[in-house]
Amino acid sequence: LADDLERLGVASSLIARARDAADDERRHAVVASRLAGRELPVLEPAVFSPRSLERVVFENFLGGCINESASAVKSASIGLALEDVALLGVASDEVGHAQLSWDLHHALHDGLSRDALNELATAGSALVERMLCADEGLSEDVRVATGHPSAARWREQLSVLSAELWAPSLQALRS
């Protein structure tokens, strides 16, 4: 992401935050390995292939603004349930990643055409709808053991994110 941002001429402070977020994600893999109780495979860094402004904005909005916000809430919920300080640190990082994504969204989305913004709003709405309707398929025993919120509580948390954060932003994209 940072390489794309550099190429697109984004402010250096946002590029530095993107590089820091990538470092955070590597640390998150260590926490995930510990929680999984086994060593997870280490992935080789992807070969950089420059992405268009439109693709960066789409991936940032869907993967960052929407998914990172949800990840922050879920990580905090699980971290609190398990009283896991490292996972609460992940949740804090995810809040920062979501904020970075929103900052990038505000810095970049004006460069898209009206049609592209409408497509982004449609894709974002579809993602939010899938998230609100999805059942993670976890049994209650697994939920309790892993600290996951109940399906009803998770939908409630997503509904708040949707109403307070995502829906207004999706509406703004259509304006």
Side-chain angles (χ1 to χ4, degrees), residues 5 7 16 27 44 63 75 82 126 128 131-132 137 158 162:
L5 298 177
R7 187 182 48 73
R27 283 195 313 280
E44 293 298 318
S75 298
L82 297 177
V128 169
M131 291 171 79
L132 289 169
L158 288 174
S162 180

Side-chain angles (χ1 to χ4, degrees), residues 1 3-5 7-8 10 48-60 108 111-112 116:
L1 175 61
D3 291 341
D4 280 319
L5 298 177
R7 187 182 48 73
L8 293 168
V10 172
F48 177 67
S49 179
R51 295 175 290 176
S52 68
L53 171 64
E54 185 173 305
R55 183 160 176 209
V56 169
V57 171
F58 270 64
E59 290 178 8
N60 176 71
L108 296 173
L112 297 187

